[in-house]
Amino acid sequence: MIPSPLIQSLLDCPALPSIPAVIQRVIVLAADPDSRLQQILDVLQNDPALTARLISLANTVYYTQAKPADTLREAVERLGLDTTVSLALGFSLVTASQGNARSTGFDLQHFWQRALISAIAAQELATQRRQGNELGPVFTAALLQDIGMLALNAVDPLEYARLIGTLDDHDEIALRERTHFGADHAEVGAWLAGNWGLSAQCREWIRCSHDRPVREDAFGAGDCVMLSGRLADIWLASDGHRTLAQLAPWLSDEKQRSELLSSIQSRLPHIVALFEVDVPNAFDSPRLLMEAKQLLLDRALHLQSQLDHQSQELKALQAANWNLDRALRYDPLTQLYSRQYLLSLLETHFEEANRSSQELSMVFLDLDHFKQINDEHGHPVGDEVLKNFAGLLVELSDPDVHLGRFGGEEFMVLLPGYDRRKAADYADHICNTLRSRPLFHHRGITIQVTASVGIVSLREEGYSSPDELIHKADQRMYLSKRTGRNRVTHE
């Protein structure tokens, strides 16, 4: 949407791009399905210079037939009415803009070179993509896609020259225009096309001319207009091979890409000369294609390198996450579950046991007289005793049992599916093993350890929360200590 103040500035501008009454009449007649060809010819013949150009164009290699076109009727029939209207409009705009040129830094030669190459490129691409019935309309839309630049330049020549400077990148130009004027030249161009009576389709193609086609495998006539300006930049930009490489998603077939560039180049000199615009320099097509191909290869290699680097970073991050997860889950000394993780497991199994009416038991163990071991033999020996006890728990436990260090010399075992009797048998087996097996030998001294154990069972006793379960197990463990240690209490 063009802001109202900008529209008023355009309407008030005496140098706004305009078309002669002859062309305006031709556009109106061409849009009227009831018009006869002779009516259009009668209007065109009022402009001898335009008539001569149309006949000359009809006799170029692109349109030539066995017999030359000698009359305006023959030329129009050969060119097609849509293309005739497009060319007539283009001729008049080029002439008018050159007559109104101001020394503001705006490069009209470059502007019309890009417009004409775009128009030819859109037609050639439409032909290649089997959009032949739209050759005239795509020529018009591609030719006029940047006409809004002339309008914005006419509104404020000095400011517009300062704004765009020597930019060739139309995406950046459009961004600056939207920031300064509230609309870009494609939107202004569509508005102008509407004022001149061009079709809604043509206006929409102009408005969207700087977008990118959504699909890469198939696109229509409007998409040909979108790509036409970028194709023109291959001739005009200093790094044409980069522009060509950017078109790879839509022009992926190397043979078709080469044929497209050749067909544009073959038509370019004569059409540009007819419009009295300097012919752009030709380029070495094979070399440009090779440079674009090499650039795409370099980009692919760079992308692969980035992907490899990101993959290594991802692996490192996964490893770090694994290490962090392990640090949160496991006690660093015993490699049994940590208290925090054990409590989360208890909550999960508590809810599951209540939901499914399954058994769940807990065994709470505390090593007897452990402080004495630390005091007599030192903490490193005490740590070895804890590690060896953890290893014994793993040895004597089924895989579905959860083992954890609750803190210090206290350990907790979760026994899903165990009733109180089965849990008591398990605890008795641990205590009996401790009585018969030393946990550590140090400097010829054998260290024997016993444990005080408390057991609770969810189904037989009924508890409303995991905290109640822990509290009761802890109480029974301390009861074992108070009644002589080295024993199991389960009621």
Side-chain angles (χ1 to χ4, degrees), residues 12-34:
D12 293 341
C13 179
L16 189 72
S18 59
I19 53 178
V22 169
I23 306 303
Q24 190 77 50
R25 180 61 179 158
V26 168
I27 292 172
V28 172
L29 288 171
D32 185 354
D34 295 328

Side-chain angles (χ1 to χ4, degrees), residues 44-334:
L44 289 172
Q45 285 171 343
N46 290 322
D47 189 334
L50 175 59
T51 299
R53 285 181 172 181
L54 291 173
I55 293 173
S56 176
L57 184 61
N59 287 317
T60 61
V61 174
Y62 185 76
Y63 295 104
T64 190
Q65 297 177 8
K67 180 180 179 298
D70 295 324
T71 66
L72 180 59
R73 174 180 286 275
E74 291 173 337
V76 172
E77 289 174 345
R78 186 171 296 181
L79 295 170
L81 184 56
D82 286 337
T83 299
T84 298
V85 174
S86 300
L87 292 167
L89 179 59
F91 288 142
S92 65
L93 285 171
V94 171
T95 302
S97 66
Q98 290 171 341
N100 293 331
R102 302 184 191 180
S103 301
T104 62
F106 190 86
D107 190 343
L108 275 175
Q109 281 292 327
H110 182 276
F111 175 86
W112 284 115
Q113 284 176 337
R114 189 176 193 272
L116 291 168
I117 300 172
S118 297
I120 298 169
Q123 276 195 332
E124 291 298 327
L125 189 55
T127 300
Q128 191 178 80
R129 296 306 172 106
R130 295 181 172 84
Q131 302 288 329
N133 60 326
E134 300 282 9
L135 294 183
V138 298
F139 187 96
T140 302
L143 181 74
L144 300 180
Q145 63 181 291
D146 295 329
I147 198 69
M149 294 180 73
L150 287 184
L152 292 173
N153 182 67
V155 168
D156 192 346
L158 295 177
E159 179 61 21
Y160 193 65
R162 184 199 63 79
L163 186 70
I164 67 171
T166 58
L167 274 178
D168 283 332
D169 185 339
H170 276 240
D171 291 333
E172 179 63 26
I173 290 173
L175 177 61
R176 293 189 183 186
E177 290 169 342
R178 286 193 295 271
T179 302
H180 186 78
F181 295 105
D184 61 36
H185 62 266
E187 294 171 300
V188 174
W191 176 82
L192 276 174
N195 287 354
W196 295 336
L198 298 181
S199 68
Q201 174 185 258
C202 184
R203 298 198 300 272
E204 182 63 14
W205 286 353
I206 293 171
R207 188 183 66 81
C208 299
S209 59
H210 289 51
D211 294 347
R212 287 171 173 79
V214 175
R215 296 185 59 183
E216 296 178 0
D217 54 339
F219 47 86
D223 299 315
C224 295
V225 177
M226 291 181 192
L227 295 180
S228 65
R230 293 175 174 85
L231 282 166
D233 288 336
I234 296 172
W235 274 261
L236 300 176
S238 58
D239 53 354
H241 66 290
R242 294 185 182 277
T243 304
L244 181 57
Q246 291 172 1
L247 296 173
W250 303 280
L251 304 176
S252 56
D253 187 286
E254 190 172 340
K255 182 174 182 293
Q256 289 183 342
R257 194 163 60 236
S258 178
E259 291 174 350
L260 177 65
L261 295 181
S262 296
S263 61
I264 296 171
Q265 180 61 48
S266 65
R267 291 184 61 193
L268 185 58
H270 190 79
I271 289 185
V272 171
L274 279 175
F275 279 82
E276 299 180 356
V277 173
D278 294 341
V279 179
N281 294 327
F283 56 78
D284 184 344
S285 182
R287 180 185 61 79
L288 191 75
L289 289 165
M290 182 59 67
E291 289 177 347
K293 188 175 181 180
Q294 183 61 49
L295 181 60
L296 289 172
L297 177 60
D298 292 343
R299 287 178 180 174
L301 292 174
H302 179 65
L303 178 60
Q304 185 60 51
S305 175
Q306 286 183 317
L307 290 174
D308 291 342
H309 180 66
Q310 289 173 354
S311 177
Q312 293 298 323
E313 288 184 335
L314 179 60
K315 289 178 181 178
L317 183 59
Q318 288 172 336
N321 286 341
W322 185 87
N323 290 332
L324 178 61
D325 181 67
R326 184 166 184 83
L328 292 173
R329 288 187 179 214
Y330 293 94
D331 171 62
L333 177 64
T334 64

Side-chain angles (χ1 to χ4, degrees), residues 340-355:
Q340 179 182 359
Y341 187 63
L342 201 62
L343 291 176
S344 70
L345 285 175
L346 172 59
E347 186 171 345
T348 300
H349 283 287
F350 186 89
E351 292 176 357
E352 177 62 26
N354 279 327
R355 185 167 50 251

